[in-house]
Amino acid sequence: MMIHPWSAIAALLPVQGTMPLLLTAAPEVDSALVLAGVLLSLAVIYVASKVGGEICYRINLPPVLGELIMGVVVGISVLHALVFPETGGTTENSFIMQLLADTTSLDTQVAPETFAAISEVISTLSEIGVVILLFEVGLESNLKELLRVGPQALIVAFVGVVVPFAAGTAGLMTLFHIPAVAAIFAGAALTATSIGITSKVLSELGRLSSTEGQIILGAAVVDDILGLLVLAVVASLAKTGEVNVNQVVYLIIASTIFLGGAILLGRFFNSAFIKVASALKTRGDLIIPALIFAFVMAYIANAIQLEAILGSFAAGLVLDETDEREELQKNVIPVADALVPIFFVVVGAKTDISVLNPTIPANQEGLIMALFLIIVAIVGKVVTGAVVFGQEKINRLAVGVGMIPRGEVGLVFLSVGRSTEALSPPLEAAIVMMVILTTFLAPPLLRFVFPNPNEPSTAIAANSDANSET
Amino acid sequence: MMIHPWSAIAALLPVQGTMPLLLTAAPEVDSALVLAGVLLSLAVIYVASKVGGEICYRINLPPVLGELIMGVVVGISVLHALVFPETGGTTENSFIMQLLADTTSLDTQVAPETFAAISEVISTLSEIGVVILLFEVGLESNLKELLRVGPQALIVAFVGVVVPFAAGTAGLMTLFHIPAVAAIFAGAALTATSIGITSKVLSELGRLSSTEGQIILGAAVVDDILGLLVLAVVASLAKTGEVNVNQVVYLIIASTIFLGGAILLGRFFNSAFIKVASALKTRGDLIIPALIFAFVMAYIANAIQLEAILGSFAAGLVLDETDEREELQKNVIPVADALVPIFFVVVGAKTDISVLNPTIPANQEGLIMALFLIIVAIVGKVVTGAVVFGQEKINRLAVGVGMIPRGEVGLVFLSVGRSTEALSPPLEAAIVMMVILTTFLAPPLLRFVFPNPNEPSTAIAANSDANSET
């Protein structure tokens, strides 16, 4: 009957109230109701992702844009079907919590704890979703091609960090008379590139394995690491007035060893993976070893202060060389289909677009700064296409546009900047607007600069079959 | 860079400490570390499931037994790699928390909260795993065959509830002089059948769609509902001395309407599902509508005080009739492969087998009662095979044995019984032992009574192709 954790077995400890309808025990969070709330949230997320994705597909836009927008619709900005405590959600304004209260035995005393538990599970599932997305992107990528375009990706990333940072910081100081530390933080927030959104759009356009796609992907990975360095520098600068050189050196060494090590040991991982997978006789013989590898690499990346998604991307990249790749991809696709939409809908749901409303007086000062930041954010990345060298028929505009979305990344700068109390409220709002608009503009812009998805101009023959499966 | 929830966007609220290494902000749970802990826990779970499953497969036992046993090995009983707060786990005895503390920037002040969040996510994932398992079991089942064996399943379930309950209660009162209320609770705990473990073993043996398999499955579903009724009766009996007739009538009506409605509306759901799935053009066109249906049905079942797994089972059963079933099953299998092992390993990990240790004096009184309960638990279910009628070549022993595992179900009775303070500690320990042993004995016993998995004696031709895919 009741499927509950075996909460009662060990040591016969006091257990959670598993049957609250039958007994009026001390109020505790009921794990059955957490499950019910999570299932309901997932149903809302899936409906939103399909409605948004299908509409965008039909009007010839990347489906992920629809997932983001429908996320906004079901989220804190509009319907409140899916809200989170850390972005203003409460048990009172959450539709799912109200439905739980109306239809189940939810104890109102523990409603906030139940809400927090549901939100924690959904947030973590969305983060597992992007870990899986980057694993799949790694599988779709071609390590040799990525290494071939490595020098171009490096320079694209470098220019895409320096130009927006310099232009943003200088412009805020001279045009808006923002103090140096605040201007540096805002400039730093302009440097980031959201690898998740960029790679998903490229995959949907069938361009991930094109030369442009691989340059963008490589540059986004490098950008990720450069962003961590910039953040380490500006954070220590804001706190102590000095740059923490040790932290910067550590990050450079750790990221080099991690990515270099993954690539160098790739052949070993590969043959080990093949041996394990072919020895297994029970269900999940491919997907489970692959997930173990992806999750362990994600953990290691996290532990050495890089990011979980860099680890799973490296894992996918390594297994891309495997003979079993096609079969593995077939197994990963349904898992990704079930988990990845959670990430994009949750990103949308946590976005409060009221900050964009010009009729709210408090937004107006920020709007002018936001306009400046958005121009710098777009121009500063679009110019990076110009520095690609050694590629004749490259779509330079597409490379630059691919670097535009800031996604959640810019917000990490914001949260660090806020904790140092360097930023004024209008500047904070301006950064949020810049992040929202670059994120939501990038998918249609990318669609526009990659006009014909069925005739890739510079596709890589060796890997182009991967596109058809996505 | 950092993949974090867009915690900063909405209303510019104070955000969680996303970069704890760079700043020493107020200690709050770091969502990146929750993610890291969850990924590490999943890696441990997957390794345990594969090691256990493969060993059992090679010695000709159901792989799920290996998953349960390796769960015990990595759990609270042995290695402490995977422990849960509600079953005696602490940040100090959790290997994963220690590893997090050693390798990441875990703030020791919020270690307990981080541990709780990680455990909540893993527990919920394990419950989603069993929801998916029952959805897959529903897809593998044949609604027509299930309805055909319905009368047999009903009588098997009924006898399998009455015999253990009567024998257990009477035996405890006469042989052990247990007070009536306590004896009734212990007797009630003997009635349950774990649908998750039974169906998984049957699927692994390739017997789920055999006549015996469908009788067991049908009986387990009915048993689930009968168990809820028994629980409602004994709980109100223990609390007020009277039977809450309203509750019992409600449960009978709700379960009848729910299951009957799902079956009657099956054709409608089916054609709606096919229409939606064939209209969808983006990725996940089959798996996402299927998961929406399964999760909504699970939620409804939960909301009407039945169980989530009954809802997803009904959803799978309905979609079993779909033309797209084979394609859908292919998509569900990798998702099930990724989620179902979490359930079985977590069940094992939460089991404290120290209660079985006869050298601990406190266990000895319970051990004798446990011996009695285990005999009643096994004999009381095995006899149910004898009452199957109208089936000539039926493997009656297999039907009875299939009803043996109590799984987590018996423990729900225990937790309710404990909260009424009716049970003595030795009787509680005896119930726990009965649950552990019936659960762990059933898979090898089922393997034994179904000797040759490749030659199903009474397989259903129409559905036997499903077996080859499992």
Side-chain angles (χ1 to χ4, degrees), chain A residues 44-71 73 200 204 341 344-345 447, chain B residues 279-285 288:
Chain A
V44 168
I45 286 170
Y46 288 150
V47 169
S49 82
K50 275 289 152 245
V51 170
E54 292 289 325
I55 290 174
C56 277
Y57 178 84
R58 279 163 175 74
I59 56 175
N60 208 11
L61 284 172
V64 67
L65 178 65
E67 298 187 1
L68 287 167
I69 291 173
M70 278 303 295
V73 172
K200 182 71 179 167
E204 287 178 350
F344 292 108
V345 174
R447 180 74 199 79
Chain B
L280 297 183
K281 304 293 176 204
T282 55
R283 275 183 58 163
D285 55 333
I288 294 291

Coordinates of all heavy atoms in Angstrom, one line a residue, chain A residues 44-71 73 200 204 341 344-345 447, chain B residues 279-285 288:
Chain A
V44 N 2.7 20.7 -14.2 CA 2.6 22.1 -14.7 C 3.8 22.4 -15.6 O 3.6 23.0 -16.7 CB 2.5 23.0 -13.5 CG1 2.7 24.5 -13.9 CG2 1.2 22.9 -12.7
I45 N 5.0 22.0 -15.2 CA 6.2 22.3 -15.9 C 6.1 21.7 -17.3 O 6.4 22.3 -18.3 CB 7.4 21.8 -15.2 CG1 7.7 22.7 -14.0 CG2 8.7 21.7 -16.1 CD1 8.8 22.2 -13.0
Y46 N 5.7 20.4 -17.4 CA 5.6 19.7 -18.7 C 4.6 20.3 -19.6 O 4.8 20.5 -20.8 CB 5.3 18.2 -18.4 CG 6.5 17.5 -17.8 CD1 6.3 16.4 -17.0 CD2 7.8 17.8 -18.1 CE1 7.3 15.6 -16.5 CE2 8.9 17.1 -17.5 CZ 8.6 16.0 -16.7 OH 9.7 15.3 -16.2
V47 N 3.4 20.7 -19.0 CA 2.4 21.3 -19.9 C 2.9 22.6 -20.4 O 2.8 22.9 -21.6 CB 1.1 21.5 -19.1 CG1 0.1 22.4 -19.9 CG2 0.4 20.2 -18.8
A48 N 3.5 23.4 -19.5 CA 4.1 24.7 -20.0 C 5.2 24.5 -21.0 O 5.2 25.2 -22.0 CB 4.7 25.5 -18.7
S49 N 6.0 23.6 -20.8 CA 7.1 23.4 -21.8 C 6.6 23.0 -23.2 O 7.1 23.4 -24.2 CB 8.1 22.3 -21.3 OG 7.7 21.0 -21.5
K50 N 5.6 22.1 -23.2 CA 5.0 21.7 -24.5 C 4.2 22.8 -25.1 O 4.4 23.0 -26.4 CB 4.2 20.4 -24.3 CG 5.0 19.1 -24.2 CD 5.5 18.8 -25.6 CE 6.8 18.0 -25.6 NZ 7.9 18.7 -26.2
V51 N 3.4 23.5 -24.4 CA 2.6 24.6 -25.0 C 3.6 25.6 -25.6 O 3.5 26.0 -26.8 CB 1.7 25.2 -24.0 CG1 1.1 26.5 -24.5 CG2 0.6 24.2 -23.5
G52 N 4.6 26.0 -24.8 CA 5.5 27.0 -25.3 C 6.4 26.5 -26.4 O 6.5 27.2 -27.4
G53 N 6.9 25.3 -26.3 CA 7.8 24.8 -27.3 C 7.1 24.6 -28.6 O 7.6 24.9 -29.7
E54 N 5.8 24.1 -28.5 CA 5.1 23.8 -29.8 C 4.7 25.1 -30.5 O 4.8 25.2 -31.7 CB 3.9 23.0 -29.5 CG 4.2 21.6 -29.0 CD 4.7 20.7 -30.2 OE1 4.3 20.8 -31.3 OE2 5.6 19.8 -29.9
I55 N 4.3 26.1 -29.7 CA 4.0 27.4 -30.4 C 5.2 28.0 -31.1 O 5.1 28.4 -32.2 CB 3.4 28.4 -29.3 CG1 2.0 27.9 -28.8 CG2 3.3 29.8 -29.9 CD1 1.4 28.8 -27.7
C56 N 6.3 28.0 -30.4 CA 7.5 28.6 -31.0 C 8.0 27.8 -32.2 O 8.4 28.3 -33.2 CB 8.7 28.6 -29.9 SG 8.5 30.1 -28.9
Y57 N 7.8 26.4 -32.1 CA 8.2 25.6 -33.3 C 7.4 26.0 -34.5 O 7.9 26.1 -35.6 CB 8.0 24.1 -32.9 CG 8.3 23.2 -34.0 CD1 9.6 22.8 -34.3 CD2 7.3 22.7 -34.9 CE1 9.9 21.9 -35.3 CE2 7.6 21.9 -35.9 CZ 8.9 21.5 -36.1 OH 9.2 20.6 -37.2
R58 N 6.1 26.2 -34.2 CA 5.2 26.5 -35.4 C 5.4 27.9 -36.0 O 5.1 28.1 -37.1 CB 3.7 26.4 -34.9 CG 3.3 24.9 -34.9 CD 2.0 24.7 -34.1 NE 1.6 23.3 -34.3 CZ 2.2 22.3 -33.7 NH1 3.3 22.4 -32.9 NH2 1.7 21.0 -33.9
I59 N 5.9 28.9 -35.2 CA 6.2 30.2 -35.7 C 7.7 30.3 -36.0 O 8.3 31.4 -36.1 CB 5.7 31.3 -34.8 CG1 6.3 31.2 -33.4 CG2 4.2 31.3 -34.8 CD1 6.0 32.4 -32.5
N60 N 8.4 29.1 -36.1 CA 9.7 29.0 -36.6 C 10.7 29.7 -35.7 O 11.7 30.3 -36.1 CB 9.8 29.7 -38.0 CG 10.9 29.0 -38.8 OD1 11.5 28.0 -38.4 ND2 11.3 29.7 -39.9
L61 N 10.5 29.6 -34.4 CA 11.4 30.0 -33.4 C 11.9 28.8 -32.6 O 11.3 27.8 -32.5 CB 10.8 31.0 -32.4 CG 10.5 32.4 -33.0 CD1 9.7 33.3 -32.0 CD2 11.9 33.1 -33.3
P62 N 13.1 28.9 -31.9 CA 13.6 27.8 -31.1 C 12.6 27.4 -30.0 O 12.2 28.3 -29.2 CB 14.9 28.3 -30.5 CG 15.3 29.4 -31.5 CD 14.1 30.0 -31.9
P63 N 12.2 26.2 -29.9 CA 11.3 25.8 -28.8 C 11.7 26.2 -27.4 O 10.8 26.5 -26.6 CB 11.3 24.2 -28.9 CG 11.6 24.0 -30.4 CD 12.6 25.0 -30.8
V64 N 13.0 26.3 -27.1 CA 13.4 26.6 -25.8 C 12.9 28.0 -25.4 O 12.7 28.3 -24.2 CB 14.9 26.5 -25.6 CG1 15.7 27.5 -26.4 CG2 15.3 26.5 -24.2
L65 N 12.8 28.9 -26.4 CA 12.3 30.2 -26.1 C 10.9 30.1 -25.5 O 10.5 30.8 -24.6 CB 12.3 31.1 -27.4 CG 11.7 32.5 -27.2 CD1 12.6 33.3 -26.3 CD2 11.7 33.2 -28.6
G66 N 10.1 29.2 -26.2 CA 8.7 29.0 -25.7 C 8.7 28.5 -24.3 O 7.8 28.8 -23.5
E67 N 9.7 27.6 -24.0 CA 9.7 27.0 -22.6 C 10.0 28.1 -21.6 O 9.4 28.2 -20.5 CB 10.8 25.9 -22.6 CG 10.4 24.7 -23.5 CD 11.4 23.6 -23.3 OE1 12.3 23.6 -22.5 OE2 11.2 22.6 -24.1
L68 N 11.0 29.0 -22.0 CA 11.3 30.1 -21.1 C 10.1 31.0 -20.9 O 9.8 31.4 -19.7 CB 12.4 30.9 -21.6 CG 13.9 30.3 -21.6 CD1 14.8 31.1 -22.5 CD2 14.4 30.3 -20.2
I69 N 9.4 31.4 -22.0 CA 8.3 32.3 -21.9 C 7.1 31.7 -21.1 O 6.5 32.3 -20.3 CB 7.9 32.8 -23.3 CG1 9.0 33.7 -23.9 CG2 6.6 33.6 -23.3 CD1 8.8 34.1 -25.3
M70 N 6.8 30.4 -21.4 CA 5.7 29.8 -20.7 C 6.1 29.6 -19.2 O 5.2 29.6 -18.4 CB 5.3 28.4 -21.3 CG 4.4 28.6 -22.5 SD 2.8 29.5 -22.2 CE 2.1 28.3 -21.0
G71 N 7.4 29.5 -19.0 CA 7.9 29.5 -17.6 C 7.5 30.8 -16.9 O 7.0 30.8 -15.8
V73 N 5.1 32.7 -17.7 CA 3.6 32.7 -17.6 C 3.1 31.9 -16.4 O 2.3 32.4 -15.6 CB 2.9 32.2 -18.9 CG1 1.4 32.0 -18.7 CG2 3.2 33.1 -20.1
K200 N 21.5 24.8 -26.1 CA 20.2 24.2 -26.4 C 19.6 24.8 -27.7 O 19.1 24.1 -28.5 CB 19.2 24.5 -25.2 CG 17.8 23.9 -25.4 CD 17.8 22.4 -25.3 CE 16.4 21.9 -25.4 NZ 16.3 20.4 -25.6
E204 N 18.8 22.8 -31.1 CA 17.4 22.8 -31.7 C 17.5 23.3 -33.2 O 16.7 22.9 -34.0 CB 16.5 23.7 -30.9 CG 16.1 23.1 -29.6 CD 15.2 24.0 -28.8 OE1 15.0 25.2 -29.1 OE2 14.6 23.5 -27.8
P341 N 13.5 20.1 -19.8 CA 12.5 21.2 -19.7 C 12.3 21.7 -18.4 O 11.9 22.9 -18.2 CB 11.2 20.4 -20.2 CG 11.7 19.3 -21.0 CD 13.0 18.8 -20.3
F344 N 14.5 24.9 -18.0 CA 14.1 26.1 -18.7 C 12.8 26.7 -18.2 O 12.7 27.9 -18.1 CB 14.0 25.8 -20.2 CG 15.4 25.6 -20.8 CD1 15.8 24.3 -21.2 CD2 16.3 26.6 -20.9 CE1 17.0 24.1 -21.7 CE2 17.6 26.3 -21.4 CZ 18.0 25.1 -21.8
V345 N 11.8 25.8 -17.9 CA 10.6 26.4 -17.3 C 10.9 27.0 -15.9 O 10.3 28.1 -15.6 CB 9.5 25.3 -17.2 CG1 8.3 25.8 -16.5 CG2 9.1 24.8 -18.6
R447 N 18.1 32.2 -34.3 CA 17.3 31.7 -35.4 C 17.4 32.5 -36.7 O 17.4 32.0 -37.8 CB 15.8 31.6 -34.9 CG 14.8 31.1 -35.9 CD 15.0 29.6 -36.0 NE 14.4 29.0 -37.2 CZ 14.9 29.1 -38.3 NH1 16.1 29.6 -38.5 NH2 14.4 28.5 -39.4
Chain B
A279 N 0.2 15.3 -32.6 CA 0.2 16.8 -32.9 C 1.5 17.4 -32.5 O 1.9 18.4 -33.1 CB -1.0 17.5 -32.2
L280 N 2.2 16.8 -31.6 CA 3.5 17.4 -31.1 C 4.6 17.2 -32.1 O 4.8 16.1 -32.6 CB 3.8 16.9 -29.7 CG 2.8 17.2 -28.6 CD1 3.3 16.6 -27.3 CD2 2.5 18.7 -28.5
K281 N 5.4 18.3 -32.3 CA 6.5 18.2 -33.3 C 7.8 18.4 -32.6 O 8.9 18.2 -33.3 CB 6.3 19.3 -34.3 CG 5.0 19.4 -35.0 CD 4.8 18.1 -35.9 CE 3.5 18.1 -36.6 NZ 3.1 16.7 -37.0
T282 N 7.9 18.7 -31.3 CA 9.2 19.0 -30.7 C 9.6 17.7 -29.9 O 8.8 16.8 -29.7 CB 9.1 20.2 -29.8 OG1 8.0 20.0 -28.8 CG2 8.9 21.5 -30.6
R283 N 10.8 17.8 -29.4 CA 11.3 16.6 -28.6 C 10.4 16.3 -27.5 O 9.8 17.1 -26.8 CB 12.7 16.9 -28.1 CG 13.8 16.6 -29.2 CD 15.2 16.9 -28.6 NE 15.5 16.1 -27.4 CZ 16.7 15.9 -27.0 NH1 17.7 16.4 -27.6 NH2 16.9 15.1 -25.9
G284 N 10.4 15.0 -27.1 CA 9.6 14.5 -26.0 C 8.1 14.4 -26.4 O 7.3 14.5 -25.5
D285 N 7.8 14.2 -27.6 CA 6.4 14.2 -28.1 C 5.6 13.1 -27.5 O 4.4 13.2 -27.3 CB 6.3 14.2 -29.6 CG 7.1 13.0 -30.2 OD1 8.0 12.6 -29.6 OD2 6.7 12.6 -31.3
I288 N 6.6 13.2 -22.7 CA 6.1 14.3 -21.9 C 4.6 14.1 -21.7 O 4.1 14.2 -20.5 CB 6.5 15.6 -22.5 CG1 8.0 15.8 -22.4 CG2 5.8 16.8 -21.8 CD1 8.6 16.0 -21.0

